[in-house]
Amino acid sequence: MLKLHNLSKVYRTDEVETAALNSVNIEIESGEFVAIMGPSGCGKSTLLNIIGMLDSPSSGDYIFMGENVAPYGEAKLSNIRKQHIGFIFQSFNLIDELSVEENIELALLYHNIPASERRERVAHVMDKVGIAHRAKHMPSQLSGGQQQRVAVARAVVGDQAMILADEPTGNLDSAHGQEVMEMLQSLNEEGTTIVMVTHSPAHADYARRTINLFDGHVVTENLRAAV
Amino acid sequence: MFRNYMMTALRNLLRYRQYTLINIFGLAVGLAACLLILLYVNFELSYDRWIPENERVMRFETRMYDRGGNFTYNSDRIPPVTALIFAEQFPEIELYSRFLNQSVAVALDGKAFEQRVTIADPDVFELMGIKLIEGDAATALSSPDSLVLQESDAKRLFGDSPALGQIVRIDGTFPMKITGVMPDWPVASDLRVGALAPFSGPIVDYQPWVRHEWGSFWGPTYVRLAEGTDPEVLAADVNEFARRVGPADRYQERIDKGIQPSYEFHLTRAIDAHLQGDISGGDGRASIVRLWAAGIVALLILSIAAVNVANLGTMLAIKRVREVAIRKALGASGRQLVVQLLAESVALTLVAMMIGIALAELMLPMFGQLMDRALTSDLIYTSPMLAGLLGGAVIVGCICGLYPALVAARFRPVDYLSGMKPTLGVWLRNSLVILQFAATIGLLVTCIVVFMQAQFARTLDKGFQSEQLVAISGISKPMILEREAALREALARVPGVEAVAASHDMPDENQYTNNSGIRTDTGVEKSLRRVAVSEELLPLMGAKLLAGRLFSKDRSADSGVEENALASASVILNEKAIKDLGFERPEDAIGHEIYSPGDVRSTIVGVIANLRTRSARSEPMATYYWVGPSEYRYIVLRVAPQNMPQTLAAIDRTWREFFPELPIDRQFADDAFTQFYDTDRRQGWLLLFSGGVMVVIAVMGLYALAALSTERRSREIGIRKVLGARTLNIVQLLLWQFSLPVLLANLIAWPIAWWSLSRWLEGFVDRIALSPVPFLIAGLGVLAIAWITIIGHTVRVARATPINALRYE
Ligand SMILES: Nc1ncnc2c1ncn2[C@@H]1O[C@H](COP(=O)(O)OP(=O)(O)OP(=O)(O)O)[C@@H](O)[C@H]1O
Ligand SMILES: [Mg+2]
């Protein structure tokens, strides 16, 4: 699915230069469930943003589905992104002014899909994540767990092949956290590639592979024995 | 405590520098525009207020009625001969003076100067409160040859040498003696006064009939009434007296039947005289309606600037809501916050006020020129005005600050801490923006329509070709009139002059109407306007012949005029006269006879389309044209378009050979037409000025709002981009958000503008049809300007990488 080769990211601010990622080499197969772990500030989010083409690497190659996208500009990246990648954030990132339904529909809005089909697909994913009864609610009227379910629904409604989740359970209690993890797992079983950043070893256990980052380096990669 | 507030205020204003600048500048520009307009309005209102005892000083006017007793129009004058008689008869008239203007040439040491002379009565000095600088007011106008100069005219004629006692030659004919020097006549006067000369003097002989003709309305008459006189009662007595001693009314038999006489005198306060605009266009008068409109526009400008301050204030207050929430959680009171925000807002308006005054001062000369008025800024520095400005700034500051202060103070910290976004005041803010743009668009539409109508009036079919038409005026002066025929012959020989004629009527600021009551052989009686022309005039002007023929030099019968008759043997009528006299078609009138006063019989030989020599506000008058050299007032020339300057110079030279001591007074007909619309043009400029200022302020406000609100929406924009929105999608989204208020504003502005503009256009006899075009231009224009202003910012926001917005909450 994707391959990072000698990939580095350097942030330059007025005074300091931070190497957030340092010659990272990672390969992720289609259909995998990968967890990324490491201490705060080690570069996890940076890595995920680059994989999700929200950010560009400073150097190195990023091969996505056989194409080197590292040199691509914003317009091209945006096209690939909206076709193949869905996002789930720690802070849900729903739009306060839009209802649950409309928030989910937003992911289809920029895909040239007719309104009737949009409605159908939105209804379908809402059922799938069990939020259908809250379709008309506003995000501020939902609990954190419910909000994250909406975010999951939004990430998959466009039939994206890969979902990137940055600490999807970070703001949730353990019960709700587990709920979200089970949802991700079942998506993975249906064939979606999932890359997830987490601080919880228990949640990392849902993944088949864990990548440990430290100070911008990949330190270890653990494969979980098949159950 | 106070110091603490001021410091916090200052720090905050500096922190949001860009918005502070927009606020201050917008408010300053708004205030400056408002001040300028108020100075103009005040100037118009101050007309003739300098006259002492002005609540008792009146202008004698006349209401005119037609045969049926219906009011036709108001004349701002009475026959000069009556003034004298009334003043003698009625002790209530304490002082009186008539004002008759005449342009003369004053010759001195062989050099001739043009000079406006106003024939006035000896009371003029006391009546108008004029203190002579030199000479004795009691005797200055007592001798027939006396002349009282204004200070600047005295300087122009005599330089620094004394003027008093000097002898000058008037129009190369008779001497006059300078008997006094008076200060320059105040600019803010409805009267246009030159050097003063007495009624007993020779200049009056140019129009000898004003001495005795009751039917000759010429120049305004001002009177001062005794204290306690009721002007209405006096006017009634005067009318009763006039009917007794004056000549029989034109419609005497009607009066006997109890129908309104053909005219009736009345009194208008001198200070109101200037504000009776719209009687006829282009006489430099203002109308109270227009001044009201200007005042409202001034307030509108100020309020849309204030709306900006209030709107930006709330947005900024919301930006600081986190700080507010934390402070409140820590125990700060809502009141403290209110005071703080108010202090900021008042500080801001005070700074804006000072900049605004400076701006007004800076723009005053240009603005004065635009409005064609000698405006001064003295009024700003009077203590009531300064106090008003200061108080106004504090009040506006409080109002502008109060709204954001209340919004911020009402906001509960728990709402913020529980993650809700403060969205208070959105509804009100949007409504205010809509109103702002509605006012702006409405004004721009008005502005466009006013200019369109002015353009239309200028290019209106006048019934003749006004291009290359030059009119030399002053021909009616006796010494010119007696050599007029010879002069015309000489002018015809000037190379470049294609044709020469003489006429009673041309487009001119000094409108002059002679009427004759006539009767047709079909028995219809009507009053027609009487216009004397030489045989060449109608062909020269390119008059459109509808039936019959024009006058011809070859038919000597055409120009036959009996002694004292006011019609030649042949006459030509215009279309309007034909209609009024009841002829169905122009051809039907040919060959019929009309009888003018003295039972003078004339034959209608031709009918022409109406010649329009006056403003589009007035209806063309039913007119008969006759060959009457005694009433020529203009020599009219058509000059070739090539070598125009040489031709004009040659014309001037020819004139000088005839009248070396009389400066030539000539004007292109087209220039005269332009002058008819001076008032409209002034109005148009005022509108354009106001509209421009409003667009600038409103768009500046919109820009600031756009910037602040996109900033607030940056997270949403980030999410949309993550979900695949392109830069273009985001730009569309944001532009739509800011176009919506502008589009809604059109819905408010258009009907109001449509209604009031239809009313305004009704004042014109010939007018443009109101079409959607100006409305679309204004609406789309404002939208385009708004877009251009915010698009840069929008694109920048839309292109930003979304992660930064999403990282931090
Ligand atoms: N926009 C930026 N500008 C400058 N430095 C940045 C920027 N974004 C991230 N960094 C730095 O890069 C490093 C990696 O940041 P990143 O957000 O990837 O860490 P993380 O592993 O996700 O941490 P956490 O677990 O706390 O979320 C940090 O040192 C951070 O300070
Ligand atoms: Mg992170």
Side-chain angles (χ1 to χ4, degrees):
Chain A
M1 177 115 218
L2 65 89
K3 193 171 154 188
L4 307 181
H5 181 68
N6 270 344
L7 187 129
S8 301
K9 176 72 186 181
V10 181
Y11 287 113
R12 286 190 187 82
T13 50
D14 291 345
E15 283 145 35
V16 278
E17 240 180 49
T18 319
L21 293 175
N22 212 334
S23 288
V24 173
N25 289 292
I26 294 175
E27 195 165 338
I28 295 174
E29 298 295 331
S30 198
E32 263 196 297
F33 191 155
V34 178
I36 299 174
M37 295 189 72
S40 190
C42 70
K44 303 183 295 293
S45 299
T46 307
L47 178 61
L48 208 65
N49 286 339
I50 290 177
I51 292 178
M53 300 176 205
L54 293 173
D55 209 349
S56 309
S58 310
S59 67
D61 294 327
Y62 174 14
I63 321 289
F64 184 81
M65 296 175 84
E67 254 181 291
N68 187 3
V69 299
Y72 282 8
E74 163 64 22
K76 264 187 167 171
L77 290 178
S78 157
N79 254 338
I80 302 179
R81 186 167 68 218
K82 77 177 174 196
Q83 272 170 40
H84 302 291
I85 307 176
F87 291 87
I88 302 171
F89 300 93
Q90 174 178 2
S91 49
F92 321 135
N93 273 334
L94 301 178
I95 294 178
D96 301 321
E97 290 80 17
L98 301 180
S99 70
V100 165
E101 228 172 15
E102 292 162 341
N103 260 294
I104 299 173
E105 193 187 2
L106 205 58
L108 299 175
L109 214 56
Y110 303 106
H111 284 88
N112 283 329
I113 294 172
S116 58
E117 190 190 333
R118 283 210 300 265
R119 259 196 307 280
E120 231 165 77
R121 284 167 73 166
V122 168
H124 178 72
V125 289
M126 280 197 303
D127 265 344
K128 201 152 123 187
V129 303
I131 201 80
H133 58 297
R134 293 287 158 106
K136 302 279 182 224
H137 283 60
M138 295 313 241
S140 60
Q141 297 167 312
L142 301 180
S143 76
Q146 289 166 330
Q147 289 193 39
Q148 197 61 304
R149 269 192 267 164
V150 176
V152 171
R154 191 177 63 183
V156 301
V157 70
D159 274 337
Q160 273 83 357
M162 177 162 79
I163 287 181
L164 303 179
D166 195 346
E167 298 183 42
T169 56
N171 278 0
L172 302 176
D173 62 29
S174 57
H176 280 113
Q178 195 165 336
E179 219 175 74
V180 168
M181 288 315 300
E182 274 159 16
M183 224 148 43
L184 288 180
Q185 193 173 37
S186 73
L187 281 174
N188 179 243
E189 279 159 11
E190 286 167 24
T192 311
T193 312
I194 292 176
V195 182
M196 173 185 76
V197 169
T198 182
H199 281 287
S200 153
H203 291 164
D205 277 350
Y206 283 87
R208 217 162 301 150
R209 181 153 66 114
T210 305
I211 297 174
N212 287 301
L213 278 187
F214 186 77
D215 228 1
H217 294 278
V218 177
V219 276
T220 51
E221 292 194 38
N222 310 331
L223 263 181
R224 184 162 57 90
V227 188
Chain B
M1 194 69 168
F2 179 72
R3 199 170 152 266
N4 183 352
Y5 285 143
M6 284 322 280
M7 284 307 293
T8 330
L10 201 63
R11 228 172 271 151
N12 267 311
L13 293 179
L14 288 179
R15 189 156 143 220
Y16 301 106
R17 221 169 284 120
Q18 188 191 7
Y19 303 110
T20 306
L21 277 181
I22 287 181
N23 262 342
I24 292 185
F25 186 70
L27 203 53
V29 169
L31 186 71
C34 181
L35 277 177
L36 287 176
I37 296 176
L38 289 182
L39 285 178
Y40 167 69
V41 170
N42 178 68
F43 184 80
E44 294 293 326
L45 290 177
S46 73
Y47 266 60
D48 295 325
R49 292 205 178 256
W50 47 269
I51 298 176
E53 308 285 330
N54 57 35
E55 73 287 353
R56 291 193 279 138
V57 176
M58 307 275 159
R59 181 166 71 189
F60 247 120
E61 302 189 347
T62 313
R63 290 195 194 96
M64 303 291 185
Y65 298 87
D66 66 10
R67 264 182 89 83
N70 305 309
F71 172 77
T72 49
Y73 69 100
N74 186 58
S75 165
D76 59 1
R77 52 198 62 178
I78 58 171
V81 56
T82 59
L84 195 70
I85 301 170
F86 296 159
E88 259 168 27
Q89 176 69 20
F90 294 95
E92 292 95 323
I93 299 176
E94 275 184 356
L95 301 167
Y96 79 97
S97 178
R98 296 163 285 180
F99 296 86
L100 272 69
N101 281 356
Q102 184 62 255
S103 174
V104 302
V106 172
L108 190 74
D109 306 331
K111 271 186 293 176
F113 300 88
E114 215 174 329
Q115 173 70 53
R116 184 204 299 276
V117 170
T118 303
I119 295 157
D121 292 296
D123 285 349
V124 64
F125 302 112
E126 199 187 340
L127 177 67
M128 295 289 163
I130 296 159
K131 306 244 173 331
L132 289 190
I133 301 171
E134 287 174 58
D136 177 11
T139 58
L141 291 179
S142 45
S143 141
D145 66 346
S146 42
L147 191 65
V148 176
L149 288 179
Q150 293 187 22
E151 204 179 1
S152 59
D153 287 334
K155 258 233 156 60
R156 185 169 57 107
L157 294 176
F158 299 100
D160 288 329
S161 50
L164 201 68
Q166 297 279 358
I167 311 277
V168 292
R169 238 158 84 88
I170 301 297
D171 282 345
T173 325
F174 44 84
M176 289 183 93
K177 189 173 160 189
I178 312 298
T179 52
V181 176
M182 62 178 178
D184 283 354
W185 200 263
V187 223
S189 175
D190 201 48
L191 283 165
R192 289 167 68 192
V193 169
L196 296 176
F199 253 80
S200 50
I203 299 177
V204 183
D205 293 334
Y206 292 179
Q207 301 124 15
W209 56 87
V210 300
R211 290 218 172 94
H212 48 81
E213 274 288 349
W214 275 67
S216 169
F217 292 74
W218 193 276
T221 298
Y222 281 69
V223 298
R224 188 204 278 175
L225 303 182
E227 250 167 300
T229 309
D230 181 339
E232 304 228 349
V233 174
L234 177 63
D237 291 348
V238 165
N239 280 315
E240 196 269 327
F241 171 73
R243 274 193 283 281
R244 216 151 20 83
V245 306
D249 192 275
R250 186 157 8 119
Y251 310 134
Q252 188 60 46
E253 76 287 357
R254 305 258 150 178
I255 300 177
D256 303 338
K257 283 187 207 153
I259 296 181
Q260 184 66 46
S262 61
Y263 58 80
E264 198 174 59
F265 303 121
H266 66 108
L267 292 155
T268 299
R269 286 201 306 174
I271 47 177
D272 297 336
H274 177 66
L275 298 176
Q276 299 178 331
D278 292 343
I279 296 176
S280 59
D283 57 1
R285 292 224 171 108
S287 82
I288 196 75
V289 181
R290 286 177 180 205
L291 292 185
W292 268 108
I296 289 170
V297 166
L299 282 183
L300 267 184
I301 292 179
L302 197 59
S303 36
I304 70 166
V307 162
N308 275 358
V309 179
N311 274 352
L312 287 183
T314 4
M315 291 294 276
L316 291 178
I318 286 169
K319 253 174 91 86
R320 276 156 56 189
V321 93
R322 193 183 128 82
E323 167 201 331
V324 171
I326 294 169
R327 275 213 204 161
K328 275 190 168 179
L330 292 177
S333 73
R335 216 187 64 213
Q336 200 178 348
L337 201 74
V338 171
V339 174
Q340 185 188 327
L341 286 167
L342 280 183
E344 278 178 35
S345 162
V346 170
L348 191 137
T349 39
L350 285 176
V351 173
M353 182 194 80
M354 287 186 269
I355 299 177
I357 293 178
L359 266 180
E361 199 61 80
L362 208 66
M363 284 157 64
L364 188 66
M366 195 201 78
F367 182 73
Q369 208 169 15
L370 213 59
M371 301 309 293
D372 197 17
R373 291 284 189 258
L375 301 178
T376 60
S377 58
D378 300 347
L379 179 76
I380 299 180
Y381 306 107
T382 55
S383 42
M385 187 71 179
L386 280 180
L389 275 172
L390 214 59
V394 172
I395 290 172
V396 168
C398 282
I399 294 173
C400 293
L402 200 64
Y403 169 55
L406 290 181
V407 166
R410 267 223 318 274
F411 188 72
R412 297 183 310 152
V414 57
D415 296 331
Y416 177 78
L417 298 175
S418 73
M420 197 178 107
K421 287 272 165 148
T423 53
L424 294 159
V426 176
W427 191 83
L428 182 61
R429 197 165 55 236
N430 284 339
S431 324
L432 287 176
V433 171
I434 292 173
L435 288 181
Q436 246 185 344
F437 276 92
T440 308
I441 292 169
L443 202 67
L444 283 181
V445 173
T446 311
C447 185
I448 296 171
V449 171
V450 168
F451 274 104
M452 279 170 76
Q453 169 66 25
Q455 180 61 27
F456 172 78
R458 252 196 305 275
T459 55
L460 196 67
D461 181 13
K462 305 173 183 90
F464 66 93
Q465 285 149 9
S466 59
E467 302 83 21
Q468 299 143 36
L469 221 55
V470 179
I472 303 175
S473 49
I475 304 304
S476 54
K477 286 183 188 177
M479 64 289 237
I480 299 177
L481 198 58
E482 70 193 9
R483 300 176 65 192
E484 170 271 326
L487 175 63
R488 264 196 286 152
E489 262 169 46
L491 285 170
R493 286 194 297 270
V494 170
V497 171
E498 294 174 347
V500 183
S503 172
H504 169 80
D505 179 44
M506 279 300 280
D508 193 340
E509 286 245 273
N510 306 314
Q511 293 176 351
Y512 192 121
T513 312
N514 286 344
N515 286 313
S516 291
I518 63 115
R519 175 169 54 80
T520 64
D521 53 8
T522 51
V524 182
E525 277 183 44
K526 267 268 151 17
S527 170
L528 296 186
R529 182 173 185 211
R530 177 176 84 238
V531 173
V533 299
S534 70
E535 291 91 338
E536 307 89 345
L537 185 90
L538 294 176
L540 178 148
M541 290 181 81
K544 267 184 250 152
L545 186 66
L546 301 180
R549 58 175 181 86
L550 296 180
F551 295 126
S552 163
K553 265 245 181 291
D554 306 333
R555 298 173 192 251
S556 55
D558 278 357
S559 52
V561 181
E562 292 169 33
E563 179 89 36
N564 288 331
L566 294 173
S568 42
S570 301
V571 291
I572 292 174
L573 270 59
N574 69 358
E575 216 178 341
K576 178 90 172 20
I578 294 299
K579 275 215 193 79
D580 283 7
L581 293 177
F583 293 105
E584 193 117 317
R585 295 173 307 154
E587 303 85 71
D588 300 344
I590 306 298
H592 277 281
E593 286 170 344
I594 62 168
Y595 297 88
S596 47
D599 247 357
V600 177
R601 191 180 61 178
S602 317
T603 313
I604 302 175
V605 296
V607 177
I608 57 169
N610 300 331
L611 298 183
R612 184 179 284 288
T613 54
R614 297 193 175 178
S615 129
R617 278 207 169 76
S618 47
E619 197 116 29
M621 281 180 276
T623 306
Y624 75 86
Y625 295 86
W626 65 298
V627 183
S630 60
E631 290 197 341
Y632 290 163
R633 294 177 62 232
Y634 302 91
I635 287 179
V636 186
L637 307 124
R638 183 170 293 283
V639 294
Q642 304 84 19
N643 304 324
M644 196 89 89
Q646 287 91 317
T647 310
L648 293 178
I651 291 171
D652 293 356
R653 233 176 296 123
T654 311
W655 172 276
R656 256 200 312 281
E657 281 160 19
F658 273 76
F659 309 107
E661 288 191 356
L662 286 162
I664 186 168
D665 183 4
R666 60 167 164 80
Q667 188 180 30
F668 278 98
D670 280 337
D671 294 344
F673 268 107
T674 316
Q675 280 175 13
F676 289 158
Y677 306 110
D678 268 357
T679 317
D680 292 318
R681 212 177 41 236
R682 245 194 325 272
Q683 191 80 357
W685 280 119
L686 185 62
L687 282 168
L688 193 65
F689 168 81
S690 316
V693 169
M694 276 166 98
V695 170
V696 169
I697 297 176
V699 166
M700 251 175 14
L702 188 74
Y703 170 79
L705 275 190
L708 280 168
S709 116
T710 41
E711 194 179 304
R712 260 169 65 75
R713 290 179 73 176
S714 60
R715 196 177 69 101
E716 179 197 332
I717 294 167
I719 298 171
R720 285 178 187 271
K721 290 199 73 178
V722 166
L723 295 176
R726 309 280 298 269
T727 303
L728 187 66
N729 299 126
I730 302 294
V731 171
Q732 274 169 355
L733 179 82
L734 294 176
L735 278 189
W736 170 244
Q737 184 194 344
F738 295 107
S739 306
L740 195 63
V742 179
L743 293 175
L744 286 177
N746 282 316
L747 295 186
I748 300 179
W750 286 356
I752 298 177
W754 188 284
W755 179 80
S756 47
L757 284 171
S758 327
R759 296 279 311 269
W760 180 77
L761 283 172
E762 275 166 21
F764 291 87
V765 177
D766 291 288
R767 53 181 176 247
I768 52 168
L770 216 45
S771 79
V773 176
F775 293 81
L776 287 175
I777 292 177
L780 294 179
V782 168
L783 192 64
I785 294 173
W787 276 16
I788 291 166
T789 317
I790 57 181
I791 194 127
H793 181 83
T794 311
V795 168
R796 207 162 51 246
V797 169
R799 289 171 68 131
T801 31
I803 25 173
N804 293 334
L806 298 183
R807 266 171 76 95
Y808 309 104
E809 269 296 71

